[in-house]
Structure formats: C-alpha cells, structure tokens
Amino acid sequence: MAPPVGQPVQGPPPPGRRPAPGRARRSPGRRRARPGAGKINLDKGRVSLQKNQTVSLVKGGKPLLSQVKMGLGWEPAFRGKDIDLDASVIAYGPNRNHVDSCYFGKLSIVNGAIKHSGDNLTGEGGGDDEVIVVDLGRLPQDVTGLVFTVNSFSGQKFTEVAKAYCRLMDAASGEELVRFDLTNAEAQTGVMMAKLIKQFTGEWEMTGMGQFVKSRTVRGMVKPAAQAL
C-alpha cells in the first residue's frame, strides 16, 4: 500500500524485505532531493524553481498565506498557430485517492476552495492564460495533495509550445512567490507542472515537476499524477 501523502514514514521495513534499488519507501510529502534539487524557502523573496526542486511556503518559520493563485501560461512556438491548452488541478487525499479535479468543465470544487478562471482557447496575449485560485485554509482535511497539470485538448504536442510556465502568487496582493518555467518540452500532449503537498506540520510545499504524459484531458492525468505524489 502506498504511504500516505504528507505523512512521515513509520519505521524501517521489516527484516528480510529490502526495498528494490532506487525504490526506497518514503512519504510523498518528504521526498528525498534528487541530484541538483533541494528544499528552499521564501525568506529571501521570489523563488525560481528548477525541476524536482521544492520550496516551503513559509517565511520566518510561519505559514506565508492561506489563499494562493496558480497562474499557467504559454505561447505558440510558431507564429500564426493557435495552441489550445487546458490548465487543471487534481486534488488527492492522504492515500493518493482522487478527491476531485478542477478544470474548464468544472470550475469549482471542494465547496469552492479551488476555483478555475475558465478556458483560454489560444494562449494569446501576455500574462497568465488560465488561473486557478486555491484557498489552502478552506481545503477540507481529506485534501493533502494538489497536482497542477496542462493538457493539449486539440492534440498539439508540447514541442509546438513556447514559454510554458506556472507561477504561484499571493491571491491578495498579486505578488509572485514561486515560478517554474518548462524549459525542455517533449512530444506529448499532457504535462504535470507542479504539485503542492501538505506536511504533517500543516505547512504546504511546492515542487516543480515537468513530467510529460500522453493525455489530452485531465481525466488521463489522474492516475500518473497520483503516482507522482
């Protein structure tokens, strides 16, 4: 059974049951930093995340804020060609169980604690193309993990997309806190951009992902996103 999201691992594995090489059992909320990655904080201001890097959403040891906006944006890699991408957020429980998905077809979930700005069909214009507002303080206790995804509903591959990014902002002030730029695209139709994991202390951590999946809709992202928590 998979370890709970955001909960510490309880004790070593039983004698005679060694984990397979490279598959050590660990909590999704306490992932070991991979080479070139590490956990950082917001004490020095805005953070630009690298892939697999984690930032704790606290300042001076205290939770930074309760309501955040996740802005996702993109531009076509070739002029004169529209790209219809869809931003979504998938909510999970402590056992990686799927709670609900917020996307252009369902703009509000978990009693309004997560809201979607609506569909952008072209990606044209500056700034964020789609925005998802998450009220961390209003999330039910059974939501401990969020995965932010982008899908190409019209079927174009991400190699045809330029400047895809996601950024986390203070919903009250609009201040950008964390940014993750998707630098190396793959010829797929779905990508997991970032995840937010609730720790057992109550604080939230954000990790840049950049993991590609063959899926044109958020429905096809539910299982691979759960595995990535």
Side-chain angles (χ1 to χ4, degrees), residues 29-30 38-49 52-65 68 136 168 177-178 195-208:
R30 296 292 183 188
K39 181 179 172 180
I40 51 182
N41 59 51
L42 292 168
D43 286 339
K44 295 183 179 180
R46 178 180 173 274
V47 170
S48 292
L49 282 183
N52 299 321
Q53 196 173 42
T54 297
V55 59
S56 181
L57 302 185
V58 296
K59 250 184 183 180
K62 297 181 180 180
L64 184 65
L65 70 172
V68 297
L136 297 173
L168 193 71
L177 305 171
V178 184
K195 60 184 175 182
L196 281 174
I197 300 292
K198 187 177 184 180
Q199 307 301 297
F200 66 88
T201 58
E203 69 185 67
W204 289 81
E205 292 183 351
M206 175 181 172
T207 302

Side-chain angles (χ1 to χ4, degrees), residues 5 12 18 49 53 71 116 142 148 154 156 161 169 191 201:
V5 175
R18 297 182 179 179
L49 282 183
Q53 196 173 42
H116 195 293
D142 63 347
F148 293 83
S154 49
Q156 292 100 336
V161 178
M169 298 162 285
V191 62
T201 58

Side-chain angles (χ1 to χ4, degrees), residues 160-180:
E160 300 178 60
V161 178
K163 302 178 181 178
Y165 69 87
C166 67
R167 64 188 187 122
L168 193 71
M169 298 162 285
D170 183 331
S173 67
E175 176 190 2
E176 183 174 307
L177 305 171
V178 184
R179 186 182 183 95
F180 173 62

Side-chain angles (χ1 to χ4, degrees), residues 19-110:
R23 296 295 296 249
R25 180 181 172 88
R26 57 180 179 268
S27 166
R30 296 292 183 188
R31 296 181 72 87
R32 185 177 300 167
R34 301 180 185 180
K39 181 179 172 180
I40 51 182
N41 59 51
L42 292 168
D43 286 339
K44 295 183 179 180
R46 178 180 173 274
V47 170
S48 292
L49 282 183
Q50 297 177 0
K51 187 174 180 178
N52 299 321
Q53 196 173 42
T54 297
V55 59
S56 181
L57 302 185
V58 296
K59 250 184 183 180
K62 297 181 180 180
L64 184 65
L65 70 172
S66 63
Q67 192 175 75
V68 297
K69 286 184 178 181
M70 179 68 78
L72 298 106
W74 57 86
E75 297 291 340
F78 308 103
R79 290 185 179 180
K81 189 171 186 178
D82 292 338
I83 300 290
D84 178 14
L85 300 185
D86 298 319
S88 309
V89 61
I90 311 172
Y92 295 93
N95 294 309
R96 292 183 172 88
N97 51 299
H98 178 221
V99 176
D100 210 343
S101 298
C102 185
Y103 65 108
F104 69 88
K106 194 173 187 180
L107 300 179
S108 178
I109 64 172
V110 288

